[in-house]
Amino acid sequence: MDKKLRTKDKILQASIELFNQQGERCITTNHIAAHLGISPGNLYYHFRNKEDIVRNIFREYAKLLENRLQPPSQPSEALDSLAQYLDVVFELMWRFHFFYANLPDILSRDPALQQDYLTVQKAVLAKVISVLTALKKADVIAIDDADMANFAHTIKLVVTFWISYLKTQKPQSTMNKEQAYLGVLKVLLLFKPYATAQAMPRIEKLQQHYQSLSGEQTLESS
């Protein structure tokens, strides 16, 4: 049993590595098996096909997202929760960036995965709204309640399609983690029009932190 679990986990990890390096569409189950030095039959013992592998990878991603994204327990922790949200989301975005790079295509080929994705994203949206609500209560941002859900959707829009946007700008270039953190800066920029005067220095400090994580890159230089 332990050996079976280890082999299955190795297949998933190898798949993530190859999908990230070469793109999910370019990789077949034969490529994955060859990369691991196992027979295709051994791979099919654990997974029915490539779609099954992608679904299992998504479940791993969704579990990490659920466990690590926690809404603030009180308004005073709201800005810390925002930083945690950005850290978790962009770290996972980098770890599974093949998924973000080709999201519409991957989902269009698997209706079951599409439904799983929508379910997960609905829960993520609720957590983003809870962070925004706490930020407002803590007087970090000033925003109408009627605009809260739309603002949360805008944040998710930037997060979800940041990797694919980068790929359209430089399709032949290799992605790096620093480029992912440029996306954090774009999200923080969305907050500045809503930031209160007392909170602006803290938001600018967060910007400086993520600018350093991005290697001081700009979109033009990346």
Side-chain angles (χ1 to χ4, degrees), residues 87-105:
D87 282 336
V88 169
V89 167
F90 279 88
E91 189 271 324
L92 292 179
M93 176 190 295
W94 169 247
R95 184 170 172 182
F96 302 95
H97 65 259
F98 78 89
F99 193 75
Y100 286 93
N102 200 25
L103 182 61
D105 181 53

Side-chain angles (χ1 to χ4, degrees), residues 52-105:
D52 192 18
I53 293 174
V54 173
R55 283 190 210 113
N56 275 269
I57 291 172
F58 178 76
R59 291 189 193 110
E60 179 182 339
Y61 159 80
K63 184 177 180 180
L64 289 169
L65 197 61
E66 180 181 3
N67 290 340
R68 294 172 60 183
L69 266 189
Q70 300 299 328
S73 58
Q74 51 189 1
S76 61
E77 299 174 355
L79 206 54
D80 291 335
S81 291
L82 173 61
Q84 181 202 39
Y85 166 77
L86 294 172
D87 282 336
V88 169
V89 167
F90 279 88
E91 189 271 324
L92 292 179
M93 176 190 295
W94 169 247
R95 184 170 172 182
F96 302 95
H97 65 259
F98 78 89
F99 193 75
Y100 286 93
N102 200 25
L103 182 61
D105 181 53

Side-chain angles (χ1 to χ4, degrees), residues 6-159:
R6 284 199 300 269
T7 301
K8 186 172 184 178
D9 189 57
K10 287 178 181 178
I11 292 170
L12 290 176
Q13 293 308 312
S15 299
I16 293 169
E17 179 184 348
L18 292 173
F19 291 163
N20 281 340
Q21 288 176 350
Q22 302 178 44
E24 176 267 341
R25 260 207 179 275
C26 298
I27 298 299
T28 67
T29 50
N30 284 343
H31 291 129
I32 298 167
H35 182 76
L36 287 170
I38 63 175
S39 69
N42 194 350
L43 184 147
Y44 288 128
Y45 177 78
H46 298 280
F47 299 99
R48 294 188 302 275
N49 48 39
K50 191 174 79 170
E51 287 71 25
D52 192 18
I53 293 174
V54 173
R55 283 190 210 113
N56 275 269
I57 291 172
F58 178 76
R59 291 189 193 110
E60 179 182 339
Y61 159 80
K63 184 177 180 180
L64 289 169
L65 197 61
E66 180 181 3
N67 290 340
R68 294 172 60 183
L69 266 189
Q70 300 299 328
S73 58
Q74 51 189 1
S76 61
E77 299 174 355
L79 206 54
D80 291 335
S81 291
L82 173 61
Q84 181 202 39
Y85 166 77
L86 294 172
D87 282 336
V88 169
V89 167
F90 279 88
E91 189 271 324
L92 292 179
M93 176 190 295
W94 169 247
R95 184 170 172 182
F96 302 95
H97 65 259
F98 78 89
F99 193 75
Y100 286 93
N102 200 25
L103 182 61
D105 181 53
I106 291 174
L107 296 181
S108 71
R109 288 183 269 123
D110 191 336
L113 181 61
Q114 168 89 47
Q115 289 305 310
D116 288 345
Y117 173 80
L118 292 176
T119 299
V120 169
Q121 289 305 306
K122 184 177 180 180
V124 171
L125 180 66
K127 289 183 179 181
V128 174
I129 291 174
S130 72
V131 171
L132 295 179
T133 301
L135 287 170
K136 181 176 180 178
K137 288 181 178 178
D139 202 27
V140 173
I141 59 172
I143 185 173
D144 292 338
D145 289 339
D147 293 331
M148 198 81 76
N150 278 333
F151 188 32
H153 274 291
T154 301
I155 293 167
K156 284 183 72 276
L157 183 66
V158 174
V159 169

Side-chain angles (χ1 to χ4, degrees), residues 147-216:
D147 293 331
M148 198 81 76
N150 278 333
F151 188 32
H153 274 291
T154 301
I155 293 167
K156 284 183 72 276
L157 183 66
V158 174
V159 169
T160 302
F161 293 104
W162 176 246
I163 295 293
S164 59
Y165 173 74
L166 287 177
K167 296 292 285 185
T168 63
Q169 300 304 296
K170 295 186 178 181
Q172 305 306 321
S173 65
T174 302
M175 290 288 305
N176 59 56
K177 195 170 185 178
E178 287 75 20
Q179 289 173 318
Y181 278 111
L182 287 175
V184 182
L185 293 169
K186 304 306 178 191
V187 172
L188 284 175
L189 194 62
L190 297 174
F191 280 87
K192 295 189 81 169
Y194 299 103
T196 60
Q198 70 179 36
M200 186 64 77
R202 297 175 67 193
I203 290 177
E204 289 176 342
K205 187 175 180 180
L206 272 180
Q207 282 184 302
Q208 293 169 5
H209 169 66
Y210 287 111
Q211 185 69 56
S212 67
L213 290 177
S214 71
E216 304 299 324

